[in-house]
Amino acid sequence: MSLLAPLGLLALLTLPVILLLHMLRERRRRVVVPSLLLWQGLPQPQEAQRRRRLPLTLLLLLHLLAALLMALALAQPHWRFALFGQAGHLAIVLDTSTSMAAPASNFGGSRLDAAREEARRLINSPTAPTRITLLEAGPQARLLDTADPASMARLLMALDALQAGGTGTDLAGALTLAEAALQGFPEARVVVLTDAALPETQAASLAVRATSVPVEWVTVGGPRANRALVTLAARPRSNNGPVQVYARVVNYGNEPEQTILRLFGDDQLLDAQVITIRPRGETELTWTVPRGLAILRAELDGNDDLPIDDVATLSLNQTRPVAVTIVSAQPETLQRALRAVPRLTVSTVTPTSYGRTLATVEPDLTIFDGYLPTTWPAGGVLVINPPAGTPLLEVSTQPRQPVPGQLALRITDGQPPLFEGVSLDSVEFGPVAVIQPPAWAATLLVRGDQPLMLRGRTGTSEIAVWAFDLERGNLTSRVAFPLLLTRTVRDLTPPALPGAILAGEALVITPDPRTTRIELGRPDGSAEVFMVEPGATQALDLALPGVYTLQEYANQQLIYTGQLAVNAGAPAESDLTPRGLPASGAPDLDQMLVEDESGQPLWPWLLGLALVVLLFEWIYVHNRRRTPGESTA
């Protein structure tokens, strides 16, 4: 119990005052007698002796009780335990980062297994509270479930489904979620199960973090030596030349380590080297490998406490293939400019033949030069010099002639990447089609008040509009032309997958606008299917290290297959040295009651009882005054 206003206890000084008043104003007992003559000869007690007697009357007890209750109410007591049958609440936070896959000291399993066993003991304990919340502290904190005695089996199932994997431990976020879940439960506490293998800055921030509920820190595991592949990267030495590969291996132990590092390309052994790493040191290696490999994999021999960070993979196909169809009577200029774009396949179609034959596979990007169909094709669409009289764009039949000095960029949200580093000072666009921008498009470039470039999305189509004729201006003879065209192609088509990411790192992909279904194949052989809307992004859960396969479907048609490498090696997880954690215990109770208000206030009940006592005292005195046939002695 805590007192929010301890000075209120000074009101207890009224108790001796009440006793003194009752001793000074003791009432004589009223007795009906026929005469007072016989009483006159009796010896009278001294006045001082009569005052020293304590008059233990019901009225005195009522006055003392009312004063006591009001004094306690003025001190505003709060009670920290459950009152009137209110249940307690326990929040269990489990660290599920990659380091929890390392062995636990004095336990025949991983650190996560030891933490899971401790959590199971807390849940099945006979003294367990009637409400338990389970939280996961991985790269992102998550509240898994909350159970009462009738649904503890569901909580145990969620506990068994946890897996170690992911870079980073969001313990601060997990504590915030736990405090929110425990609001309103005075008998509440948090138990955190972790190996404490945290970055020093994170451990320091937890040490000074204020909590509104008692937090108990339980450490599993212990000091362990470990080595890890923390970096695997590659870059081409030239456009069509070999690829240079770089790897970094770190020894987090206090003894020198000797190991074998092997490099594989598409599962074929490319090189093997014996390396020695000094204590708390690192070793760097480089290779030159031929172009054309899809997946690189580097491996250590794995004889340490955390084998999953002894392997690193990298996808070299970081550029997404794009099939482009040019619909133009004179496509040569566009063909020449697109040759510089890697992994681009270009085909041409004349406007008169477009739509007559049904293509087996739709192109990823369609470029219309001086022509528009009756409906937008799915995928990326670039319209150049749109004609008048089509239902897709409202275009005037009379193009507007250029006015010198009226070229200006109008961007609502800053400079777009399309124009970054591009100079248009010497560009003459010539006559420009007068376009009424549709509702789904935004204006990127204007000349005076006339739109030159538009960008938008409608249905399953990503659309860009260039309102000028390439043959009647000088843009094609400027350096800006291939830059603008290449960036527009990349803007209209989905971005490539990254070569590699860390386990548990948040990844949001932008699939092809035609995509209706995504299938994600995981390294353990399982698969997950996502249904997507046109133009929507998709978040992927990639906590398991290895190579993932991603396939995009437009209904039943496969339109893209890509691979993504996920690695576990990272300084934040591979260093298994435990850090100092905050001391377990309760927080500052007074601050908790003021800020969280989760304690049970007792002063309203005390004040109510005081009022009841005063009411009873009034009834008692009132009835005595109405007693008939009495006289004062």
Side-chain angles (χ1 to χ4, degrees), residues 8 11-12 63 65-75 606-607 610-611 614:
L12 293 175
H63 286 168
L65 181 58
L68 176 64
L69 291 174
M70 286 190 288
L72 293 177
L74 289 175
L606 297 174
L607 188 59
L611 293 177
L614 291 176

Side-chain angles (χ1 to χ4, degrees), residues 418-505:
L418 182 67
F419 300 107
E420 185 176 351
V422 176
S423 175
L424 299 175
D425 295 339
S426 62
V427 175
E428 296 179 4
F429 291 94
V432 177
V434 180
I435 301 176
Q436 179 63 37
W440 47 262
T443 302
L444 298 183
L445 180 68
V446 296
R447 185 175 64 186
D449 60 350
Q450 185 176 6
L452 296 181
M453 291 185 181
L454 305 176
R455 178 68 172 89
R457 175 192 301 122
T458 177
T460 59
S461 303
E462 295 281 348
I463 304 171
V465 179
W466 292 5
F468 44 86
D469 188 349
L470 294 177
E471 301 298 328
R472 302 182 66 179
N474 67 354
L475 176 62
T476 57
S477 63
R478 298 294 186 267
V479 178
F481 176 60
L483 290 176
L484 287 175
L485 184 60
T486 301
R487 292 177 180 179
T488 301
V489 170
R490 292 307 179 199
D491 181 52
L492 294 174
T493 55
L497 295 174
I501 65 170
L502 292 175
E505 188 174 303

Side-chain angles (χ1 to χ4, degrees), residues 161-186:
L162 292 176
Q163 294 182 345
T167 302
T169 308
D170 189 11
L171 287 175
L175 290 176
T176 300
L177 291 177
E179 289 173 323
L182 297 178
Q183 283 187 357
F185 290 86

